[in-house]
Structure formats: C-alpha cells, structure tokens
Amino acid sequence: MYKKLLKPLLFHLPAEAAHHLTFDLTKLSFNLPGAKGILKSNYAFEHPSLARKVFGLTFKNPIGLAAGFDKDAKLIDEMAQLGFGFIEIGTLTPKPQPGNPLPRLFRLPKDQALINRMGFNNGGVLAAVERLKKRKSNVIIGGNIGKNKVTPNEQAVHDYLYCLEALHDYVDYFVVNVSSPNTPNLRDLQEKEPLKALLSAVKKANDEKDKPKPILLKIAPDLTHGQLDDIIEIVNETQIDGVIATNTTIDRTQLETSRQEVEAIGAGGVSGKVLQSRSTEVIRYLHQKSGGSFPIVGVGGIFSAEDAIEKLEAGASLVQVYSGMIYEGPGLIKEIKKGLTAYFSK
C-alpha cells in the first residue's frame, strides 16, 4: 500500500512537507480504534534469534530507527509499533533552534538518496524530556546530542554535558554527534585532541551517575584511514561503549543524478543507497583494525535484509535505517527481521 498509494502522494510534495504530513498521518492513524490490531497483523514479527545484548542492553531485535527522523521524541510509541528494536531521538541541543533556512531536505530518486542541511533543528532537550516522561512503550531509546549553532567549539563540551544531564533518566544510551556536516565547524570536533577531550568529559560526567548509560560516538563516512585509526585509539583510551558508523557524506562523486540538479540543491549531507558501500567499508575497517574491541552500530544505505546482513558481516552488532524506510516504506522493518531470522538459522 505504501509504494502504490502513499509514496506517490508524499513524493509529490516537497520533502520536508512530506515528512511533517507523515508525522500527522502517523499520529492520527496509529491512534484510531482497532489500529493496534491492524499494525500488529501487518508489522509484528519477532523471533528469539533476533535478540542481541550489546553494550549491556538487551535488544529484542537489532534494527533501529536512526536519529533525524524523530528528532523531538514525538512519535516514539507509534514507531515502536512498527517493530523497531530501538529508536534514536535527536540530534537534541540545549536550546531550541530552527535550523537552516528552507528548503533544506531534498530527494534524489534516481540514487534512492536524500540530501539534507537541516542544521540540528529541534525544540530543545527539555521539551523532548517532557515527551519522554509520557511515553508508554518500553522500546530502547537512544539520545543523540549535539551543540547549538551559536556555541563556539571551545565551549561545546558544556552543551553536550547539559544534554546528558537533562536526558539521563529518560534514555537508555547516548550518542555524541560531532559528525553532522550541517552545523558550521562541528566536524572540527572529530579531530583527535578536541574529540578526546569532549568524550573524556562526557564519560566522566556519565560515570558519576548512579546508573551510567552507554556512550557512543557517531562518526562521518568521510574520515581517512588515519583519522579512523585515531577514532579507534580514542574509543579505547576513553573507554566509551561504541561507535555509530556512519553519518551522512559530503562526497557526491557516486551520484547518478545530474550534476546541474545536485549543484542547484546546494550544500548538505547525502544519505541513502549511495552511502551503503562506504559505510560498510568504515564498519569493516573499524572492526578489523580494533580487533572487535568495541561494538559498532551500522547505518547507511540499508534498503533490504541483504543490506543489513552486509553490515553485520562487516562487524556491526546493530543496524539503523532511515532513508531506506522513506523509499521502501515501514514494511521494510519486518522484511529485514524475517531475512535476518532466516540468515541466523542457517
């Protein structure tokens, strides 16, 4: 139904308008009488072989919703009904911010890709906390945190610590996001010394809590092997709990969409099918060079069970989807889980 009816309607609208319409329709339809039964019959599928214990948490299945879709924790209970094993909210910042000017989200159907320059648009971490207090589902929640655009890099640690403090009682793990290409100078924090200092501060604040939460680092796919070696060293030295590989890419050399169309869109990070190969390469490199010393969450270009299996075979412990769901529909989650069940049963 999604590909035949809803997708053509949504793809007729500007991408961000379609995103907001999807939110409204989801909120409405998932709460209609009898909706839960319909959703269960269409999307429910779990199997004991799918369960995973990673960084101390038990996931009923390894398929997560990547950050960026539900930035403000508005659809957690609804998304949980689609069968995700975990949901990552954010990126959240201490203060609300509107993000970059519209338009800032674009589809590249020929590449099954998206370009976004959202700029950490969100209602602020405290508003998200109020919604998290009211959630009904027990799905595992990750809190993806960042800095406000106006905060200079020299003071960025204070923004991350503020978000950690605000969210700590309401999420199951944290993701330190320094890899978005859409906040000016943010990726500079991926350099070795600034990153080590930031992660050390976040880890120290977290460890002082009665119940510390896993801390993950989300990295860009555009890092060199030398930079990835630095990431491995920093993760092991700071003893954070894992890495999410990868965020969107600024590389556009693999796109089939015409150069003129891409240039007309302008700046932004690319996600979707075009990212599949590179994100898998990063996962494999990190896993092999680190000797599997930390868990990796694989994200980038997952459009099928085969794509998810590729990430797992490269060394990922869990995977996340976003763009694949936009192009393939919410049934993708069940399809991946069925494919993984067959794969694990071999």
Side-chain angles (χ1 to χ4, degrees), residues 48-293:
S49 68
L50 294 173
R52 290 287 178 277
K53 188 163 186 177
V54 186
F55 36 80
L57 300 175
T58 301
F59 297 79
K60 66 178 180 179
N61 69 70
I63 315 302
L65 177 63
F69 184 85
D70 188 12
K71 289 173 178 282
D72 291 300
K74 293 180 177 180
L75 283 183
I76 287 176
D77 292 331
E78 290 81 3
M79 290 295 100
Q81 293 181 60
L82 294 180
F84 286 105
F86 59 111
I87 294 170
E88 194 170 306
I89 61 170
T91 297
L92 291 165
T93 56
K95 298 176 183 178
Q97 60 182 28
N100 293 320
L102 299 171
R104 56 195 180 181
L105 180 62
F106 309 86
R107 305 182 199 89
L108 303 179
K110 188 180 292 185
D111 293 286
Q112 292 185 287
L114 301 172
I115 291 179
N116 93 80
R117 52 172 176 268
M118 304 301 288
F120 286 178
N121 59 304
N122 72 105
V125 68
L126 297 183
V129 165
E130 291 307 308
R131 296 187 188 96
L132 289 168
K133 289 177 180 178
K134 300 173 184 176
R135 74 182 181 102
K136 299 175 182 176
S137 63
N138 61 357
V139 66
I140 289 175
I141 300 294
N144 187 303
I145 57 177
K147 78 174 189 71
N148 281 112
K149 182 178 180 179
V150 297
T151 303
N153 280 2
E154 298 76 30
Q155 299 173 23
V157 63
H158 302 298
D159 281 15
Y160 288 92
L161 293 178
Y162 183 94
C163 291
L164 178 88
E165 183 67 31
L167 282 171
H168 205 274
D169 291 340
Y170 307 101
V171 300
D172 300 289
Y173 69 89
F174 283 94
V175 180
V176 175
N177 186 359
V178 292
S179 53
S180 169
N182 302 313
T183 295
N185 304 317
L186 181 72
R187 285 191 170 190
D188 291 347
L189 293 174
Q190 288 184 122
E191 294 301 322
K192 189 172 184 179
E193 293 309 317
L195 182 57
K196 188 186 298 185
L198 173 61
L199 291 178
S200 295
V202 171
K203 180 74 162 57
K204 181 176 183 293
N206 180 62
D207 286 348
E208 290 172 353
K209 298 289 186 181
D210 290 337
K211 296 181 179 179
K213 305 292 174 70
I215 304 292
L216 311 181
L217 170 68
K218 189 165 188 175
I219 64 171
D222 309 307
L223 301 178
T224 65
H225 282 178
Q227 289 172 313
L228 291 174
D229 290 339
D230 287 342
I231 294 294
I232 293 169
E233 179 183 328
I234 291 167
V235 170
N236 287 328
E237 185 174 324
T238 60
Q239 296 193 324
I240 64 166
D241 300 274
V243 169
I244 296 186
T246 62
N247 211 320
T248 58
T249 180
I250 56 174
D251 179 20
R252 301 185 176 189
T253 58
Q254 305 300 316
L255 294 174
E256 294 184 15
T257 303
S258 72
R259 181 177 176 182
Q260 292 84 351
E261 185 177 345
V262 173
E263 288 180 350
I265 287 172
V270 182
S271 63
K273 199 68 176 174
V274 71
L275 189 55
Q276 179 186 347
S277 177
R278 178 55 186 164
S279 65
T280 301
E281 287 175 7
V282 172
I283 292 164
R284 184 175 289 110
Y285 187 90
L286 290 175
H287 181 69
Q288 292 179 351
K289 287 298 290 284
S290 71
S293 62

